[in-house]
């Protein structure tokens, strides 16, 4: 079928066949379908949606745009975790080394920043020389030898996702449920892991703004996992305010290092990472129960084993791990200044989306597909919803590369915060866990 007919069919809200979806993905991957037609297709999907069957077919087509890895003979079991995207969400870089340090191999395929949300690959590229586009052979060899590997899409693995991901980022087509589900699950299927924890973010700083939509996304992805025999759980977690303190690439890597070295970090990121790591250990059968899993996680943190595991990951992928031992070596943005509270009271809101968009406007993320990012810039968020702040207390520290961008960021960030005289409860962190049928996969 002609691609224009496929676009028109979806534009008119009709259901595509598996063959039409496959043709589209194959044509885009091999360069016969240009970006402008792919953009129109993505926009049609965003506006018209897809049935769960179409979403599953899209997922398999994207997964099969490259090779599908089999981990048989490489490791007995390997786990993976993947977030739907949030602001300040550096959990992969914390959970992966913790879980590896607890003896469970992790094979992780990650993405770049998307819209206002950051991406693990962009963050980890803050470390000089690190290689994050591994071939299938390199991915497997590293997993076998070191039990930890982290890569972005390459020409071998889910290449269509790499191309569509970059296009969605700059065409306003990120928050479509079928596109998010297929993007995430195609990578998971291609990377071959049997046990997968999905972190489905909910709130103003997530692509799903209500618990109902997030639960639907979680259920669709878990069902795709069931269909291909993977054990998939999806936790629903809050993304109304930024997670942790740092937003922006080097700043987030520094927060990861602080966390793994046992330095103080905000309670939300600590609890989130301990919980996610514990769920993964339990899913992998490496813990008797959640309590045992949490104890193992805390031990791996306290002994420094989790930090050593991150260092090992960085080293074997060519990165300069001296930056992890000495984070002060990371370059610093030329302008680093605080934004102070213009009134005292209780923090009712720190709008994660506005913070994420402000971080992109500072150059921590991309507006156009070809944009390069400035790893130095970003925002430190000093308060959480429910905190009491005095007038004049620091709300944010902005790391900027120009006065103009700094000034714009101040205005935006002040509009992200609401401080009132009345008390306010802290935000919940978890809204539930969706589990699949393959409990024994
Ligand atoms: N993570 C992905 O890999 N893809 C998305 O679409 C969103 C988050």
């Amino acid at each position: 079928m002609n691609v224009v007919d496929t676009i028109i069919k979806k534009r008119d809200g009709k259901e595509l066949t598996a063959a039409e979806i496959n043709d589209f993905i194959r044509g885009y991957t091999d360069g016969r379908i240009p970006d402008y037609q792919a953009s129109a297709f993505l926009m049609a999907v965003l506006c018209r949606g897809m049935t769960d069957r179409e979403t599953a077919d899209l997922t398999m087509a994207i997964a099969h745009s490259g090779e599908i890895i089999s981990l048989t003979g490489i490791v007995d079991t390997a786990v993976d975790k993947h977030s739907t995207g949030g602001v300040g969400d550096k959990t992969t870089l914390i959970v992966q080394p913790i879980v590896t340090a607890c003896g469970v191999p992790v094979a992780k395929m990650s993405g770049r920043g998307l819209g206002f949300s950051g991406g693990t690959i962009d963050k980890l590229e803050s470390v000089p020389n690190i290689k994050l586009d591994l071939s299938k052979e390199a991915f497997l060899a590293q997993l076998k030898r070191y039990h930890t590997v982290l890569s972005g899409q390459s020409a071998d693995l889910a290449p269509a996702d790499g191309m569509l991901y970059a296009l969605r980022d700059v065409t306003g087509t990120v928050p479509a449920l079928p596109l998010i589900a297929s993007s995430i699950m195609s990578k998971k299927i291609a990377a071959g892991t049997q046990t997968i924890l999905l972190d489905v973010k909910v709130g103003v700083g997530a692509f799903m703004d209500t618990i109902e939509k997030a639960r639907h996304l979680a259920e669709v992805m878990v069902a795709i996992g069931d269909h291909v025999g993977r054990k998939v759980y999806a936790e629903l977690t809050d993304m109304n305010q930024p997670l942790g303190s740092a937003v922006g690439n080097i700043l987030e890597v520094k927060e990861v290092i602080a966390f793994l070295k046992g330095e103080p970090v905000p309670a939300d990121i600590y609890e989130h990472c301990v919980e996610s790591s514990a769920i993964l250990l339990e899913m992998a059968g490496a813990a008797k129960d959640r309590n045992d899993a949490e104890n193992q996680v805390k031990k791996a943190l306290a002994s420094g084993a989790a930090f050593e595991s991150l260092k090992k990951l960085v080293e074997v992928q060519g990165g300069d791990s001296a930056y992890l031992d000495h984070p002060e070596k990371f370059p610093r943005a030329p302008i680093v200044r605080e934004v102070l509270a213009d009134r005292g009271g209780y923090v009712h809101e720190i709008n994660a989306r506005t913070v994420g968009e402000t971080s992109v406007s500072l150059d921590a993320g991309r507006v156009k597909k070809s944009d390069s990012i400035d790893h130095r810039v970003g925002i430190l968020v000093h308060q959480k919803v429910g905190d009491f702040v005095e007038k004049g207390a620091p709300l944010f520290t902005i790391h900027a590369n120009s006065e103009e961008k700094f000034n714009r960021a101040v205005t935006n960030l002040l509009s992200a915060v609401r401080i009132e005289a009345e008390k306010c409860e802290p935000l919940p962190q978890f809204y539930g866990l969706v589990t699949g049928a393959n409990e024994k996969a």
Side-chain angles (χ1 to χ4, degrees):
M1 190 186 227
N2 181 308
V3 62
V4 180
D5 294 334
T6 303
I7 295 169
I8 289 171
K9 195 169 168 189
K10 186 40 71 188
R11 181 202 67 192
D12 292 345
K14 306 221 173 77
E15 187 171 351
L16 300 176
T17 64
E20 287 160 347
I21 291 171
N22 280 331
D23 281 354
F24 170 77
I25 292 299
R26 218 171 299 122
Y28 185 52
T29 314
D30 67 22
R32 277 177 294 121
I33 296 178
D35 276 357
Y36 53 83
Q37 284 181 318
S39 305
F41 176 82
L42 295 174
M43 189 54 82
V45 172
L46 179 118
C47 295
R48 293 303 202 157
M50 277 185 154
T51 63
D52 292 352
R53 199 273 306 148
E54 286 176 291
T55 304
D57 285 338
L58 181 62
T59 306
M60 296 317 285
I62 297 174
H64 285 283
S65 66
E67 296 187 51
I68 306 280
I69 290 181
S70 162
L71 300 184
T72 311
I74 304 293
V75 283
D76 289 343
T77 184
V79 303
D80 191 354
K81 98 138 240 321
H82 199 96
S83 160
T84 56
V87 178
D89 181 9
K90 68 279 293 173
T91 53
T92 290
L93 294 175
I94 298 170
V95 170
Q96 173 155 0
I98 292 177
V99 172
T100 311
C102 292
V104 174
V106 183
K108 173 85 183 94
M109 197 183 282
S110 287
R112 293 193 178 277
L114 203 52
F116 56 84
S117 83
T120 301
I121 297 294
D122 288 334
K123 291 172 203 191
L124 203 48
E125 270 178 358
S126 302
V127 179
N129 305 327
I130 193 153
K131 185 165 163 41
L132 295 167
D133 57 345
L134 304 184
S135 67
K136 177 187 158 194
E137 288 69 31
F139 190 90
L140 289 179
Q142 186 177 320
L143 179 63
K144 188 171 181 142
R145 179 142 188 222
Y146 298 104
H147 289 184
T148 185
V149 58
L150 193 157
S151 178
Q153 293 80 24
S154 64
D156 296 348
L157 304 174
D161 179 54
M163 296 168 71
L164 289 171
Y165 200 86
L167 194 59
R168 284 166 60 210
D169 193 19
V170 292
T171 54
T173 53
V174 169
L177 188 151
L179 301 180
I180 297 174
S182 57
S183 163
I184 293 178
M185 289 310 292
S186 62
K187 283 195 282 281
K188 304 301 99 180
I189 291 167
T193 38
Q194 292 298 321
T195 306
I196 301 154
L197 175 63
L198 303 171
D199 182 3
V200 180
K201 301 282 185 204
V202 193
V204 292
F207 299 125
M208 298 291 120
D209 55 359
T210 66
I211 297 183
E212 292 67 38
K213 287 187 203 161
R215 186 171 291 279
H216 183 202
L217 174 61
E219 286 168 355
V220 169
M221 292 194 288
V222 168
I224 293 171
D226 280 350
H227 182 66
V228 290
R230 312 291 169 97
K231 179 172 179 174
V232 183
Y233 286 8
E235 51 181 349
L236 309 182
T237 67
D238 185 76
M239 189 32 75
N240 284 298
Q241 64 184 340
L243 186 60
S245 165
V247 180
N249 301 292
I250 286 178
L251 297 177
E252 292 193 45
V253 169
K254 284 181 155 181
E255 190 168 32
V256 167
I257 295 168
F259 186 121
L260 294 174
K261 283 184 171 171
E263 292 163 17
V265 290
D268 62 349
I269 183 88
Y270 181 81
E271 283 158 22
H272 185 85
C273 291
V274 169
E275 173 93 358
S276 301
S277 306
I279 293 175
L280 271 169
L281 293 186
E282 244 192 308
M283 287 178 78
K288 287 199 297 290
D289 52 29
R290 186 67 59 82
N291 202 24
D292 176 35
E294 281 187 13
N295 286 338
Q296 290 190 44
V297 168
K298 288 178 185 166
K299 224 161 119 193
L301 285 168
S303 67
F307 177 63
E308 289 305 318
S309 172
L310 179 66
K311 267 178 73 180
K312 177 60 80 187
L313 176 74
V314 164
E315 277 162 15
V316 297
Q317 296 195 198
D320 185 347
S321 66
Y323 282 74
L324 273 57
D325 284 321
H326 301 285
E328 68 282 0
K329 280 171 72 93
F330 282 108
R332 201 173 141 89
I335 298 167
V336 178
R337 274 182 228 141
E338 289 180 335
V339 180
L340 307 181
D342 51 11
R343 56 181 295 189
Y346 291 91
V347 178
H348 281 237
E349 184 183 8
I350 306 174
N351 188 298
R353 178 179 291 248
T354 307
V355 175
E357 286 168 350
T358 306
S359 174
V360 172
S361 76
L362 286 165
D363 293 339
R366 295 174 193 78
V367 179
K368 292 195 307 300
K369 193 174 164 182
S370 54
D371 283 349
S372 56
I373 59 176
D374 184 341
H375 286 88
R376 302 168 303 172
V377 300
I379 300 151
L380 295 178
V381 182
H382 299 301
Q383 311 294 338
K384 290 283 165 193
V385 169
D387 286 355
F388 179 80
V389 287
E390 303 280 359
K391 181 173 178 191
L395 294 176
F396 304 100
T397 304
I398 297 175
H399 292 234
N401 57 21
S402 81
E403 286 292 343
E404 190 200 335
K405 288 176 195 151
F406 170 81
N407 289 331
R408 220 181 314 131
V410 173
T411 311
N412 291 340
L413 290 176
L414 284 174
S415 78
V417 181
R418 193 158 51 84
I419 297 172
E420 310 274 356
E422 302 77 44
K423 274 196 161 177
C424 172
E425 288 302 314
L427 287 169
Q429 278 221 65
F430 298 98
Y431 298 110
L433 186 69
V434 175
T435 59
N438 291 325
E439 294 296 296
K440 304 218 160 24

